[in-house]
Amino acid sequence: MKILKVVLALMLCGAVALFVLRKTESDVVLEKGKMGIVAHRGFWNCEAAGYARNSVAALRCAQENGFWGSEFDVNITADSVLLVFHDDNVAGKKFSEHPYSEFKEITIENGETIPTIDQYLEQGAKCPETMLVYELKPQSSVEIEEALVNLSIEKLKEYELLDPKRVMFISFSYYMTCKVAELLPDFTVQYLSGSKEPKDLLADGVNGLDYAHSFYVNHPEWAEQARELGMTTNIWTVNTEDYMIQSIDFGIMYITTDCPLEARRVIEEKGVKEVR
């Protein structure tokens, strides 16, 4: 019996070690004293991007400025075209209820039409150094969410971006979060809603949390708990110096912000190493 217990303990330790190795092989689990900047909806808050969120220009600006990652939102139309847009509707029309033809001429702030995932990933593929933080937007049914997940994976394969060193996933939909974690176990997958402790996420195969600032204020221990479990932590959307400093003090690994240059300044002044 003692021998059996020893064997089981060794097996458990080995499993934990393999899990940590697998989850850190793309260097997304950062040591203390390091932080990466994620440009929220791209680095849109600048003249070069035309102040257009989720634009191809905003992604290009994030790449050119050397931020660790660039976040973007993905919705799906009724005829299964993936569009990079935050809200689930535009001009009074819900994407999932109308075909792409009804959205293709709509422009955003800088004059671009709403980017298709093809246009966005074509730009994303040009810069291997920038992590694409792919947000799957919640849909009205499991069937539509299944289609969004599966088509996203197909598109990433098409552009040779289905690589944990190139793409990570986030979502407010726990179904899609868990689904991606199941289908792509080597990828970083973070839950957004803030309703679950790190250990509960990990029990469902989810290896990261990306919570609003308020959740970390209420549960400052979660960042350290996640680190001890080999999980990644992100915080959204942090746009003031005070909140940026708090994010650093919490020990969070990644900061999602509309003001990435300001975050870069604060990180440097606090003596934290910016990961690029």
Side-chain angles (χ1 to χ4, degrees), residues 17-215:
L18 286 172
F19 175 83
V20 173
L21 176 62
R22 185 186 70 185
K23 295 308 177 186
T24 60
E25 63 183 2
S26 57
D27 299 322
V28 291
V29 178
L30 301 182
E31 301 171 356
K32 289 183 177 180
K34 295 182 179 180
M35 178 175 272
I37 297 172
V38 177
H40 183 231
R41 306 182 200 173
F43 183 21
W44 63 270
N45 195 11
C46 64
E47 187 174 350
Y51 302 95
R53 298 167 175 83
N54 276 321
S55 62
V56 173
L59 170 59
R60 183 171 59 251
C61 287
Q63 295 168 330
E64 291 172 351
N65 281 272
F67 301 121
W68 180 85
S70 187
E71 184 265 356
F72 59 105
D73 307 286
V74 183
N75 271 290
I76 186 169
T77 65
D79 53 350
S80 298
V81 175
L82 301 186
L83 296 179
V84 180
F85 199 82
H86 178 267
D87 297 342
D88 66 356
N89 69 91
V90 67
K93 296 180 180 179
K94 196 169 184 177
F95 290 116
S96 62
E97 296 176 355
H98 295 267
Y100 172 57
S101 60
E102 298 185 29
F103 304 107
K104 64 185 300 183
E105 303 300 328
I106 296 176
T107 57
I108 55 180
E109 294 90 339
N110 64 356
E112 291 182 26
T113 54
I114 296 173
T116 64
I117 197 65
D118 296 271
Q119 294 168 326
Y120 206 85
L121 294 183
E122 182 178 358
Q123 178 63 41
K126 295 178 181 179
C127 185
E129 294 78 18
T130 304
M131 178 69 77
L132 299 176
V133 182
Y134 196 121
E135 180 172 348
L136 297 152
K137 301 302 290 185
Q139 303 297 314
S140 58
S141 70
V142 169
E143 290 75 19
I144 299 175
E145 291 194 338
E146 285 269 2
L148 175 54
V149 168
N150 292 333
L151 189 53
S152 294
I153 292 174
E154 289 178 18
K155 285 296 182 181
L156 289 166
K157 286 180 179 177
E158 181 180 338
Y159 286 87
E160 299 183 348
L161 287 168
L162 193 64
D163 181 340
K165 296 182 179 180
R166 303 295 305 277
V167 178
M168 61 181 284
F169 297 91
I170 60 176
S171 185
F172 281 99
S173 162
Y174 201 58
Y175 175 79
M176 285 195 288
T177 302
C178 292
K179 188 65 178 180
V180 174
E182 174 190 348
L183 294 173
L184 302 172
D186 292 330
F187 283 68
T188 300
V189 184
Q190 297 177 333
Y191 187 43
L192 286 167
S193 87
S195 61
K196 293 180 179 290
E197 296 183 39
K199 63 180 178 61
D200 296 327
L201 292 173
L202 196 59
D204 288 332
V206 177
N207 61 11
L209 49 155
D210 184 358
Y211 290 167
H213 172 268
S214 60
F215 288 101

